[in-house]
Amino acid sequence: MPELPEVETIRLGLKKAIVGKTIAGVDVRVPKLFHGDKKSIIGKKVLDVGRRAKQIIIDVEGDNDLLIHLKMTGQLIYRPKQESGVASHGQIAGGHPSKDWTAVLPNGTTHIIFDFSDGSKLFFNDLRKFGWIKIFEAKELKHKLTEELGVEPFDKEFTTDELAKIISKKSNWNIKKILTDQTLISGIGNIYADESLFWAGILPTRIAKTIKYDEVLRLHTSIIKALQIGLKYGGSSENTYYKIDGAKGQAQEHFQVYAQEGKKCKRCGGVIQKIKLNGRGTHFCPGCQK
DNA sequence: CTATCTGTTCTGAC
DNA sequence: TGTCAGAACAGATA
């Protein structure tokens, strides 16, 4: 799924696009991806768009809010009224099926469509159908999100000491597993875990209890750095991620290790390696990371 | 064609 | 209780 920088990029775009608009209808094409009674949000105005971990929260007038998880391949694409159908950025190659899943909407991966009263639409696409949209009672949602998720990396309470405390709680885990566990720290996934560990000079396989305090210090700075790079370039479109206008992010052009296996390390010139760790592809530089 | 990969997370088996 | 493979699903890639 999109990770924190991608979801945050979507949130910012969405906030600009839909706050103040009234939800006129919801077309649920794949019922298992939509939980709750859509009638409870129809006719209501969107008040705000938030984020917690890798999830989007749409704050709707009244008692109910929407929670959206994009998982691996979910997309939220917004189209103003004038150009519903064809992307402003993309051409449709004559006769060829487009690999760009946002060029024509709705398409075969479009499972839920929100209609706003001004004629604009929000398309929820998901190739693999892992993502979902759920309606929650607002209080219950707030409780659930604080209960189940770890500290936000951009929060002021995410300090070096806090990170040290988190690491000490899972002394036998490898450090990458700690970074990607949403109940400990929220928002970091496979890409930004690898990138953070590169910037920190720490191997992803390192066991928590072997990590010294000066390394925790570097890791804390590096997590924020990796996520900020992601955010600055509008997220990474290595796979199926698009911004809400259908444009790609550029963060993948700034990766140091993720998807760089076999290439030369930009810092030391060594060859980037790829292994499997915790069941996931894991990238690192043997020269820079110890 | 077959095997393995993919930005996630939950469940069930041991 | 902790860990891990497999599941949910669909496609790209070698």
Side-chain angles (χ1 to χ4, degrees):
Chain A
M1 103 194 181
E3 304 177 35
L4 189 155
E6 289 76 30
V7 179
E8 181 65 10
T9 300
I10 291 169
R11 179 186 81 84
L12 291 168
L14 213 49
K15 182 168 171 143
K16 233 177 239 174
I18 68 169
V19 167
K21 294 186 181 172
T22 299
I23 301 170
V26 185
D27 178 7
V28 177
R29 302 182 163 201
V30 180
K32 66 178 265 193
L33 305 187
F34 190 91
H35 301 238
D37 181 6
K38 67 182 186 182
K39 287 199 290 290
S40 66
I41 56 161
I42 289 172
K44 304 278 168 61
K45 205 177 274 184
V46 174
L47 300 179
D48 195 12
V49 182
R51 179 189 59 77
R52 181 74 171 94
K54 306 171 187 174
Q55 300 167 88
I56 299 263
I57 303 154
I58 300 186
D59 180 359
V60 181
E61 221 176 1
D63 292 337
N64 296 293
D65 293 332
L66 287 168
L67 185 67
I68 304 176
H69 202 314
L70 300 171
K71 291 289 183 87
M72 294 279 270
T73 54
Q75 303 169 334
L76 287 172
I77 307 293
Y78 176 80
R79 291 278 189 265
K81 184 179 184 179
Q82 307 86 301
E83 41 184 352
S84 61
V86 180
S88 52
H89 74 286
Q91 310 302 332
I92 302 166
H96 295 288
S98 174
K99 199 183 157 187
D100 180 345
W101 289 301
T102 72
V104 180
L105 291 170
N107 60 46
T109 72
T110 304
H111 309 313
I112 296 161
I113 305 168
F114 292 87
D115 286 288
F116 296 100
S117 50
D118 66 348
S120 62
K121 292 174 190 289
L122 181 64
F123 297 87
F124 172 71
N125 302 337
D126 191 348
L127 173 67
R128 293 174 73 178
K129 298 189 185 119
F130 293 167
W132 43 252
I133 299 179
K134 297 179 185 178
I135 295 178
F136 281 94
E137 197 274 316
K139 264 192 183 150
E140 178 199 354
L141 177 61
K142 190 163 270 177
H143 179 73
K144 170 190 159 69
L145 293 175
T146 46
E147 195 86 336
E148 297 173 2
L149 293 164
V151 60
E152 284 284 331
F154 287 138
D155 265 14
K156 61 178 185 314
E157 57 183 279
F158 181 62
T159 58
T160 303
D161 282 349
E162 179 61 22
L163 179 59
K165 205 168 125 193
I166 291 166
I167 290 173
S168 70
K169 275 198 281 191
K170 300 290 178 185
S171 58
N172 292 320
W173 286 22
N174 62 65
I175 187 63
K176 179 170 176 179
K177 187 168 171 55
I178 292 175
L179 294 188
T180 54
D181 187 313
Q182 301 303 298
T183 68
L184 299 175
I185 307 168
S186 60
I188 304 172
N190 206 40
I191 291 180
Y192 295 99
D194 285 2
E195 292 292 309
S196 299
L197 287 163
F198 169 82
W199 290 118
I202 299 169
L203 286 170
T205 48
R206 282 278 297 284
I207 301 302
K209 62 187 163 208
T210 71
I211 294 178
K212 304 279 181 278
Y213 193 82
D214 69 307
E215 294 178 307
V216 178
L217 202 64
R218 290 206 307 268
L219 183 55
H220 176 258
T221 312
S222 300
I223 288 168
I224 291 166
K225 176 175 180 169
L227 294 173
Q228 270 172 347
I229 291 172
L231 201 48
K232 176 177 174 186
Y233 293 102
S236 53
S237 293
E238 189 71 19
N239 198 341
T240 54
Y241 164 77
Y242 290 87
K243 298 190 269 191
I244 70 157
D245 62 355
K248 293 190 175 204
Q250 309 298 135
Q252 67 281 4
E253 294 164 20
H254 303 272
F255 288 164
Q256 305 299 308
V257 289
Y258 184 85
Q260 306 300 304
E261 62 270 25
K263 293 188 188 164
K264 275 191 181 166
C265 173
K266 294 171 191 171
R267 180 185 277 173
C268 78
V271 180
I272 305 301
Q273 307 288 309
K274 181 179 179 183
I275 58 169
K276 189 163 264 195
L277 180 65
N278 313 323
R280 307 298 305 277
T282 297
H283 314 73
F284 64 94
C285 170
C288 297
Q289 294 170 258
K290 303 294 174 193

